[in-house]
Amino acid sequence: MSLDVYLQADYPAAPGMPPAKYEYSANITHNLNRMAEAAGLYGVVWRPDENGIETAAQLIEPLEKGIALLKSDPARFEQFNASNGWGMYKHFVPFLEKYLEACRECPIARVSACR
């Protein structure tokens, strides 16, 4: 099982130009759900629709806080590493950092997740 996250936005077209689109997608294993929960990120990353998250701008602060927490105490979160190697701290933090970067790049993007 995995988690797919998506950001999508359409920009009005400039005269004589087609509409511009912004799209971001990423995938990570669902095995990280316990680590995400411990970092306060499960609801906003896995279930944004159930937590009032509609735009990327709404994800920026929770992602910043969750990433800071994860980085402040790696040993605390590495205890949630999957024993089979599919769901590791060392992969989760970069996934979140790239997601945060995409949210900052296009804060008006619509957020969705498929789990």
Side-chain angles (χ1 to χ4, degrees):
M1 294 178 62
S2 65
L3 168 72
D4 295 296
V5 295
Y6 303 96
L7 300 176
Q8 296 177 318
D10 298 317
Y11 292 96
M17 300 294 289
K21 291 190 179 287
Y22 178 86
E23 294 183 354
Y24 173 84
S25 65
N27 173 279
I28 199 146
T29 179
H30 190 67
N31 290 344
L32 288 161
N33 64 340
R34 290 178 39 230
M35 189 180 304
E37 184 67 41
L41 290 170
Y42 181 79
V44 297
V45 176
W46 265 257
R47 300 182 176 276
D49 54 323
E50 296 174 13
N51 288 282
I53 305 292
E54 296 177 4
T55 66
Q58 294 171 290
L59 277 174
I60 293 172
E61 185 178 342
L63 285 172
E64 288 173 339
K65 287 181 178 180
I67 292 166
L69 183 59
L70 284 159
K71 288 182 166 184
S72 73
D73 192 358
R76 171 182 169 200
F77 296 101
E78 287 173 343
Q79 71 177 330
F80 297 106
N81 282 345
S83 59
N84 65 3
W86 291 90
M88 307 294 285
Y89 172 91
K90 67 182 182 180
H91 300 128
F92 191 40
V93 172
F95 164 85
L96 293 170
E97 290 173 330
K98 289 176 187 168
Y99 195 20
L100 174 58
E101 181 181 327
C103 289
R104 288 178 175 151
E105 189 172 305
C106 188
I108 66 164
R110 294 177 307 281
V111 174
S112 61
C114 182
R115 48 198 181 274

